[in-house]
Amino acid sequence: MGYLVNIVRNTINNVDELPELDFGNNILDGIKAFILIFIYYIIPFIITLLVATLTGGLFAGIEILSVAFGAIENNVADLQTYLFNTIPQSTFETLFISIVITLIVGIILFIVFSIFSSIAFARFSKYESLSEGLNFGEVFNDIKTIGTGKVISWLILLIIVIIVIGLIVGILNLVPYIGIVLGFLLGQSLLEIIFYRSLGLLYREA
């Protein structure tokens, strides 16, 4: 991951060549980048978990699992019928509604924080400072400077590119042995270079 930090940094600094490997700095940058991404994604995870709890889905799921495990231990023959006869219908309804709400909230949060974490990654790469990447106010200002519409367009275009490369890799995987290896190596490397190179180009406008 540290090497990818260098790709973004070089791109921001108008250096078009791929950076050389520097294991010491790459490892250090990689650790910092991992911490940065972890912090940004732990926030939506916690919020999503809170939504699941507040909507009752977490407790409903625990109740259903508890009854199911008890039935399995008692060697109940028809588990599905046993669950529907033992657990109130309202519990299943609560679980279903909670799952729908939690999924919607989770997807929205994932998209929002993916944008924030990407720009934060670029900011961290540019200034070589973890604290700069974690400066939420400045990250938000960077997004406004670049343009929210432009950032969203970049993300959508990136998703399309990922789908296309995924299809190509899927075709390569049809070739026994060598195709699978090539698909993994080329697909993974190409995706990473495209993503972080495009991120650097995007952040030039910040």
Side-chain angles (χ1 to χ4, degrees):
M1 187 175 285
Y3 182 75
L4 303 175
V5 172
N6 283 344
I7 290 178
V8 177
R9 184 178 298 139
N10 278 9
T11 305
I12 293 172
N13 294 327
N14 293 307
V15 178
D16 293 328
E17 293 81 12
L18 288 175
E20 296 181 359
L21 286 172
D22 183 349
F23 290 106
N25 287 328
N26 287 162
I27 291 172
L28 185 60
D29 283 341
I31 293 172
K32 291 179 181 178
F34 175 81
I35 294 171
L36 179 77
I37 293 172
F38 177 81
I39 291 173
Y40 270 91
Y41 279 104
I42 196 67
I43 297 172
F45 174 78
I46 292 173
I47 295 174
T48 303
L49 189 61
L50 283 173
V51 170
T53 304
L54 293 174
T55 54
L58 184 63
F59 297 113
I62 291 173
E63 180 183 346
I64 293 170
L65 285 175
S66 177
V67 174
F69 284 133
I72 292 171
E73 288 179 358
N74 294 323
N75 297 317
V76 174
D78 191 345
L79 180 60
Q80 182 176 340
T81 302
Y82 177 80
L83 290 177
F84 281 114
N85 289 336
T86 306
I87 300 171
Q89 184 179 349
S90 59
T91 302
F92 290 102
E93 292 173 351
T94 299
L95 178 62
F96 176 76
I97 294 171
S98 176
I99 288 174
V100 172
I101 295 173
T102 303
L103 274 176
I104 293 172
V105 172
I107 291 170
I108 293 172
L109 287 174
F110 176 78
I111 293 172
V112 170
F113 278 87
S114 290
I115 292 173
F116 269 84
S117 66
S118 296
I119 300 303
F121 189 98
R123 185 175 181 83
F124 154 68
S125 301
K126 178 180 179 179
Y127 295 104
E128 302 183 38
S129 169
L130 183 59
S131 61
E132 285 294 334
L134 293 173
N135 190 330
F136 299 105
E138 289 301 321
V139 170
F140 182 68
N141 288 335
D142 286 341
I143 293 173
K144 288 197 297 182
T145 301
I146 296 169
T148 306
K150 186 172 290 186
V151 174
I152 293 174
S153 298
W154 166 77
L155 189 61
I156 293 172
L157 183 60
L158 202 61
I159 291 172
I160 294 172
V161 171
I162 290 172
I163 292 172
V164 171
I165 293 177
L167 290 173
I168 295 172
V169 170
I171 294 171
L172 285 174
N173 286 340
L174 295 176
V175 181
Y177 307 115
I178 188 66
I180 296 174
V181 174
L182 284 175
F184 175 77
L185 293 177
L186 293 178
Q188 181 75 14
S189 301
L190 190 59
L191 277 176
E192 288 182 344
I193 291 173
I194 289 174
F195 176 81
Y196 290 99
R197 172 73 177 166
S198 66
L199 177 59
L201 291 171
L202 179 72
Y203 195 78
R204 280 183 187 177
E205 302 181 31

